[in-house]
Amino acid sequence: MKKKILAFLLFLFPLFSLGYANADTIKIVSDTAYAPFEFKDTDQTYKGIDVDIINKVAEIKGWNIQMSYPGFDAAVNAVQAGQADAIMAGMTKTKERENVFTMSDTYYDTKVVIATTKSNKITKYEELSGKTVGVKNGTAAQRFLESIKDKYGFTIKTFDTGDLMNNSLSTGAVNAIMDDKPVIEYAINQGQDLSINMDGEAVGSFAFGVKKGSKYEYLVTEFNEALAQMKKDGSLDQIINKGTNSSKTSSQVTSLTSTTSAGQKATPVKSKYVIASDSSFAPFVFQNSSNQYTGIDMDLIKAIAEDQAFEIEIITQDLTLLLTQFNLVKLMV
Ligand code: ASN
């Protein structure tokens, strides 16, 4: 009899574990072309600040997540229709959204702002009169534009994705666009023909969300706990700095190589150099909240070392002390 019960339990076990694994997978939806928060990289995988944050939260909380990137409006609809469990898409926390979403504590402060091409600058809303402004469907930026369009006399054209919107600006199908400031700034650093010449509007900061009243509300509590830990231990700052700086580093390296013969390599005398730098000289060298040295000089020297295949050790001190040291190969301040 005992044997029969055991055999029966052994038969059930794989079924339980299979069912459990499926039920346990948290389906999270996101935007699609929204660098530096989420974007498809050249290796065809999605990368970005949202991706790194949610992976870290999942690691801390033991979540088994499955991400997909259908675009912002589609992501919002999927959560509301119960086809997805949560959204991590640089979603602005607004009062209206909190009627239908339970939203986490915020992880990134931002503004929405008007941008144009460099040769068609717009410096105030009055200049939008008679023009067409592009914006992504279902966004907080769209809602803001709807609230002022009659006052300033412009038309709104909506797009499903950020890349379609930006293309329409460069072809002249729209005269201006409105999007989140860090997203436009990232695109500018990537060399896109975009220009910001107005202050932004603080319509809300970014948060993670689930459908209000759904069984996934516990995810928001857990997200908040993990986020608090990441704010404290510096990993949130690290993720954000890495994400927002990656475009600057690459554009600086590009402009550097293009002023000399492209691809030219020096022959390093040593495999490792000790490089000294000032300890507090923002934005060139400064300590971030996780006590790491960062800034333009640090990014530049790291990129050069990588390009020229030598190792570096960076030491930071007060500038006057530095100048008295003899055993330094190069001084970078
Ligand atoms: N920040 C946008 C919003 O919440 C979201 C996005 O464009 N991914 O409306």
Side-chain angles (χ1 to χ4, degrees):
M1 185 62 189
K2 266 187 191 161
K3 266 190 191 158
K4 269 192 187 159
I5 293 173
L6 190 67
F8 183 63
L9 288 177
L10 284 175
F11 165 75
L12 282 183
F13 180 74
L15 296 182
F16 275 135
S17 54
L18 194 75
Y20 182 71
N22 282 342
D24 201 30
T25 303
I26 301 160
K27 285 184 270 168
I28 303 177
V29 273
S30 188
D31 205 341
T32 191
Y34 190 56
F37 296 94
E38 46 266 347
F39 59 97
K40 204 184 222 181
D41 207 356
T42 42
D43 65 4
Q44 301 303 306
T45 65
Y46 276 90
K47 300 208 172 119
I49 295 172
D50 283 343
V51 182
D52 288 350
I53 293 176
I54 205 70
N55 282 336
K56 184 82 192 170
V57 170
E59 185 192 308
I60 294 171
K61 288 294 170 187
W63 292 357
N64 178 14
I65 60 169
Q66 186 190 75
M67 293 290 294
S68 60
Y69 302 85
F72 185 68
D73 201 32
V76 166
N77 292 334
V79 173
Q80 286 304 322
Q83 291 156 354
D85 310 331
I87 179 165
M88 181 70 180
M91 183 158 79
T92 310
K93 187 172 178 174
T94 62
K95 284 206 184 70
E96 301 76 37
R97 284 210 176 119
E98 285 186 277
N99 292 328
V100 288
F101 282 98
T102 297
M103 297 190 72
S104 71
D105 294 337
T106 58
Y107 58 84
Y108 192 94
D109 293 331
T110 177
K111 289 180 173 179
V112 289
V113 73
I114 293 284
T116 59
T117 57
K118 292 190 180 92
S119 51
N120 293 298
K121 292 180 180 158
I122 282 185
T123 56
K124 44 184 185 299
Y125 291 118
E126 283 78 5
E127 292 169 27
L128 290 175
S129 175
K131 301 212 155 95
T132 304
V133 185
V135 73
K136 237 160 50 185
N137 250 321
T139 57
Q142 181 188 9
R143 195 179 169 88
F144 175 77
L145 287 178
E146 298 284 356
S147 74
I148 62 160
K149 73 170 200 263
D150 291 342
K151 180 172 175 195
Y152 295 106
F154 60 82
T155 312
I156 297 173
K157 188 168 165 48
T158 59
F159 298 89
D160 284 337
T161 63
D163 45 0
L164 290 176
M165 175 177 75
N166 290 0
N167 286 347
S168 291
L169 181 68
S170 48
T171 61
V174 296
N175 308 103
I177 58 167
M178 187 170 229
D179 203 350
D180 289 287
K181 200 170 176 194
V183 173
I184 296 175
E185 284 172 341
Y186 186 92
I188 291 173
N189 283 325
Q190 289 277 310
Q192 282 194 40
D193 180 15
L194 288 168
S195 179
I196 298 173
N197 301 284
M198 283 177 65
D199 286 338
E201 308 288 339
V203 292
S205 302
F206 292 169
F208 166 84
V210 301
K211 185 178 178 179
K212 196 168 180 172
S214 72
K215 63 174 180 176
Y216 296 106
E217 293 207 329
Y218 77 95
L219 293 176
V220 173
T221 313
E222 293 195 2
F223 183 96
N224 286 343
E225 287 164 4
L227 188 68
Q229 182 182 323
M230 290 163 68
K231 282 181 180 172
K232 215 166 151 191
D233 69 15
S235 50
L236 180 67
D237 271 356
Q238 235 171 346
I239 289 172
I240 290 173
N241 288 342
K242 184 187 113 198
T244 47
N245 285 334
S246 54
S247 64
K248 289 181 198 154
T249 310
S250 59
S251 62
Q252 281 187 350
V253 173
T254 313
S255 63
L256 230 162
T257 45
S258 61
T259 56
T260 58
S261 348
Q264 193 180 320
K265 287 251 189 286
T267 314
V269 180
K270 303 202 298 182
S271 63
K272 180 171 176 175
Y273 291 88
V274 178
I275 307 218
S277 178
D278 200 352
S279 54
S280 175
F281 192 44
F284 298 96
V285 193
F286 61 98
Q287 248 177 322
N288 64 16
S289 57
S290 14
N291 295 334
Q292 283 171 328
Y293 283 98
T294 181
I296 297 169
D297 277 358
M298 293 296 107
D299 283 349
L300 197 54
I301 194 65
K302 281 178 201 160
I304 291 170
E306 198 185 330
D307 185 55
Q308 296 289 327
F310 57 80
E311 270 181 62
I312 48 168
E313 185 191 332
I314 301 204
I315 56 166
T316 48
Q317 283 185 12
D318 180 71
L319 185 59
T320 39
L321 270 176
L322 278 181
L323 294 170
T324 62
Q325 310 244 336
F326 296 110
N327 59 344
L328 303 174
V329 176
K330 186 171 185 325
L331 185 65
M332 181 142 184
V333 286

